[in-house]
Amino acid sequence: MYISKIKIHNFKGFKDDHEIIFDKGVNFFVGDNNCGKSSVFEAIDFIRSKKDRGEVITKTEIETDSFVSVEIEFKGEDIESIVEIDALKKYKSSVIDTNGEKGLRVMRSSEEKEITQDGKKKKLDIKNVRVFNPTTNQFENPTGIDNTITALFDAQFVWADTNSGDISDFSKTKISGKIINAITKDFIISDTWKNFQNSHKETFGEGENSLAKTLQPVEQKIQSILSEQYGETEVRFSFSLPEIESFFKTGNIALSENGIETKSSEKGTGMQRALALALIQVYADISSSDENGVSKPILFFIDEPETFLHPQAQNKLLDALEKISDKSQIFIITHSPYLLKKYKKETHSMNIFSKDSGMNKVEAGNEFDLFGSSSPSWGEINYYAFGVLSVEFHNELYGFIQAKAILEDEKYCKSEDFDRYLFNKSSEAIKIDKKYKHLKSDKTVIEYDTTLPTKIRNIIHHPENPNNTKFTDEELKISIESLIPLLA
């Protein structure tokens, strides 16, 4: 089961409705800072944990009656098996069948609404998780569904400003604690645990040298006072055996370098992030199956994993995340072309975030397939993912198009013939109206008409020729945008 789609309304910088489509594998979020990439991560968390409207609504809407809402759609062949888990059976009637494809739709919204559910009137607000019922064709809130939303899917977040406390926290809700609890779930029936129970009983029980024996005089004094002032009362200090999770909470992760051991919380940010990324890889390998072998999905949300990593380490990390994505959906916020260099249109998606009149905007990114098996190229990545104009991308476009033209006719290896090709193929959108000064081997200069793409190509490839004015960024942009359609 994976998230196929999210719909957000007035959520943290997104005004009105926005819909984002995801792939079941790796999903990249790219774009400028402060354009809503991490807000989508927070929207997933909003579904799982209710918040006040004021905490999450787009600031321009806070003084209005506008509502904030997040809806996620799950799809997957395993949905019917997942809702057979005891804790999730309340979702069974909400499974949607669209031409054999199973789905679930879950929403949280601040919009107060009264519905008729099971023949009774019911009011819904931001405290309620709503699940779409395909039979009644409405979002409903079955009894107990609010308490089971975290059992429906597991979301693990690694933020750019990683909290060291989260890494070394062994409680059940944190990733280290989940790893430990998953591995040690059978420990409490082991001989070692039974021996500990006996030792605890001997230490805190009724033995001659027990703590309870030591405290008896204090018990008797308290009992005497209570009996005298309030009536006959028996007093006893009781020390029950703590749950094993209580011991885990006192633990921490220690790292040793050159024989010196240090708590992970005392390490630098780079090491803490590296540890967090290592932990999610380990956690992904640990089965979260119930007794029937049915697994709820584990979704990983990673903010700028490239931080503090050398490009080669980034490549290795993405290879590891790629393996994880076979079973677990992954979402990555990134500014790194090294991660995107491994983009696979079959199993990856990319969404580009930007600002539009001060509000966040998101649109599906290019699939990086301009150059066939040579995609994605560095120029292609930087242009489509980060909006960077580069001579490398211009070279790639010009060279690829000319190579195709030469396959048609070898005459197009000559610039004047190739200019005519560009003119004809672009339906005269690319005009032969630019002046280029050619430096001959005898140092004389001749001037002739050419297209803007060819002029820019010549200036790039002939830096020894000082007779032409450097092209502008705007000219580079126009030339690139005129060449791209010719690859279609």
Side-chain angles (χ1 to χ4, degrees):
M1 186 171 80
Y2 67 98
I3 298 177
S4 61
K5 181 191 305 181
I6 186 169
K7 294 180 180 179
I8 52 182
H9 180 84
N10 290 335
F11 188 91
K12 282 205 164 188
F14 289 95
K15 184 174 173 60
D16 299 327
D17 295 315
H18 292 264
E19 180 178 284
I20 310 174
I21 306 298
F22 300 127
D23 192 278
K24 66 173 67 174
V26 180
N27 300 273
F28 293 101
F29 292 1
V30 300
D32 292 338
N33 291 326
N34 196 34
C35 286
K37 298 185 293 294
S38 59
S39 294
V40 177
F41 282 21
E42 293 179 57
I44 301 293
D45 193 44
F46 173 68
I47 287 280
R48 290 166 55 85
S49 56
K50 61 180 180 288
K51 294 179 174 67
D52 291 336
R53 171 184 176 274
E55 291 181 74
V56 295
I57 195 164
T58 298
K59 295 307 178 186
T60 58
E61 306 300 308
I62 197 166
E63 301 297 334
T64 71
D65 293 330
S66 299
F67 66 93
V68 58
S69 71
V70 174
E71 176 191 337
I72 55 179
E73 178 182 76
F74 293 100
K75 287 186 178 179
E77 298 175 354
D78 55 347
I79 286 180
E80 286 186 309
S81 300
I82 289 172
V83 298
E84 289 295 333
I85 298 173
D86 286 341
L88 300 175
K89 287 188 174 179
K90 296 179 184 297
Y91 292 91
K92 286 183 69 172
S93 61
S94 298
V95 175
I96 303 166
D97 189 328
T98 307
N99 299 322
E101 187 175 37
K102 308 302 180 184
L104 275 175
R105 293 168 61 190
V106 182
M107 173 196 283
R108 191 184 292 277
S109 174
S110 68
E111 183 181 29
E112 297 184 1
K113 196 170 185 179
E114 185 175 79
I115 64 170
T116 300
Q117 181 180 315
D118 299 327
K120 299 178 181 178
K121 296 289 185 181
K122 186 166 186 175
K123 290 184 177 180
L124 302 177
D125 59 24
I126 199 170
K127 296 188 296 294
N128 304 123
V129 173
R130 310 178 193 189
V131 184
F132 186 78
N133 186 331
T135 303
T136 59
N137 200 36
Q138 66 177 359
F139 279 95
E140 299 178 349
N141 176 249
T143 302
I145 205 77
D146 298 316
N147 298 325
T148 62
I149 185 64
T150 54
L152 182 61
F153 68 101
D154 186 355
Q156 292 296 320
F157 297 89
V158 179
W159 298 99
D161 53 348
T162 302
N163 185 335
S164 60
D166 285 345
I167 296 173
S168 57
D169 191 335
F170 290 178
S171 61
K172 279 186 175 181
T173 60
K174 305 299 182 181
I175 191 165
S176 294
K178 289 183 177 183
I179 291 172
I180 291 172
N181 277 279
I183 295 298
T184 62
K185 59 186 177 182
D186 296 327
F187 182 74
I188 58 173
I189 62 174
S190 69
D191 290 340
T192 302
W193 183 252
K194 289 177 182 177
N195 291 335
F196 176 78
Q197 288 178 306
N198 292 333
S199 296
H200 181 275
K201 185 175 181 180
E202 184 179 332
T203 303
F204 295 95
E206 301 297 330
E208 263 320 298
N209 299 316
S210 70
L211 183 62
K213 190 74 171 179
T214 304
L215 292 172
Q216 277 184 354
V218 180
E219 291 174 347
Q220 291 168 359
K221 286 181 181 180
I222 298 173
Q223 182 173 314
S224 175
I225 293 171
L226 285 176
S227 297
E228 182 180 326
Q229 297 178 4
Y230 299 100
E232 195 68 31
T233 305
E234 185 177 345
V235 175
R236 183 175 67 86
F237 289 117
S238 177
F239 299 92
S240 60
L241 181 69
E243 295 291 327
I244 193 169
E245 290 82 4
S246 299
F247 295 101
F248 293 160
K249 290 178 182 178
T250 64
N252 64 77
I253 298 177
L255 303 174
S256 293
E257 292 180 278
N258 300 319
I260 300 174
E261 186 173 284
T262 309
K263 290 182 179 179
S264 61
S265 58
E266 297 173 2
K267 286 288 188 181
T269 305
M271 177 58 77
Q272 290 178 22
R273 280 185 59 78
L275 178 58
L277 293 170
L279 286 170
I280 69 169
Q281 293 174 62
V282 172
Y283 183 48
D285 285 337
I286 298 174
S287 173
S288 59
S289 299
D290 68 4
E291 294 177 356
N292 297 317
V294 180
S295 300
K296 71 174 180 179
I298 305 172
L299 312 178
F300 294 103
F301 299 84
I302 309 173
D303 187 6
E304 298 183 28
E306 68 271 14
T307 306
F308 303 108
L309 291 181
H310 184 277
Q312 290 184 355
Q314 293 181 39
N315 288 337
K316 291 179 180 178
L317 174 62
L318 191 61
D319 286 341
L321 295 178
E322 178 72 22
K323 291 179 182 177
I324 293 174
S325 72
D326 289 340
K327 295 182 179 179
S328 301
Q329 194 175 20
I330 293 177
F331 301 82
I332 297 175
I333 295 173
T334 185
H335 298 284
S336 171
Y338 295 99
L339 293 182
L340 292 173
K341 193 70 173 71
K342 290 179 173 286
Y343 184 92
K344 299 176 181 177
K345 65 180 182 180
E346 296 82 11
T347 56
H348 296 173
S349 79
M350 182 175 69
N351 284 282
I352 301 174
F353 292 73
S354 60
K355 287 288 187 185
D356 183 10
S357 301
M359 292 290 104
N360 295 335
K361 172 186 173 184
V362 59
E363 55 188 353
N366 184 274
E367 290 189 334
F368 294 150
D369 59 357
L370 290 182
F371 308 121
S373 60
S374 299
S375 287
S377 69
W378 292 116
E380 193 177 9
I381 290 168
N382 282 308
Y383 180 77
Y384 282 110
F386 307 118
V388 175
L389 295 167
S390 66
V391 295
E392 289 80 10
F393 189 40
H394 192 278
N395 282 343
E396 290 163 0
L397 287 169
Y398 192 95
F400 197 82
I401 294 169
Q402 188 171 34
K404 288 178 61 177
I406 292 172
L407 286 176
E408 294 180 20
D409 194 321
E410 289 186 2
K411 71 178 183 180
Y412 294 126
C413 65
K414 296 181 179 180
S415 62
E416 59 269 25
D417 290 317
F418 184 55
D419 274 341
R420 182 61 55 185
Y421 175 91
L422 294 175
F423 178 77
N424 292 331
K425 285 290 184 178
S426 67
S427 301
E428 303 181 9
I430 299 178
K431 300 185 183 302
I432 307 174
D433 60 353
K434 303 299 177 186
K435 299 294 184 182
Y436 179 73
K437 295 176 181 179
H438 174 65
L439 179 64
K440 299 177 67 177
S441 58
D442 62 3
K443 304 301 181 181
T444 60
V445 176
I446 61 171
E447 185 178 77
Y448 58 84
D449 292 332
T450 187
T451 61
L452 179 60
T454 296
K455 180 179 179 179
I456 291 176
R457 181 266 180 201
N458 289 343
I459 292 174
I460 293 171
H461 283 254
H462 296 285
E464 77 284 354
N465 183 355
N467 298 292
N468 296 281
T469 305
K470 179 74 167 71
F471 54 85
T472 65
D473 286 344
E474 181 61 25
E475 287 175 321
L476 182 62
K477 181 175 184 290
I478 292 170
S479 185
I480 286 173
E481 290 178 350
S482 69
L483 290 172
I484 290 174
L486 301 189
L487 292 175

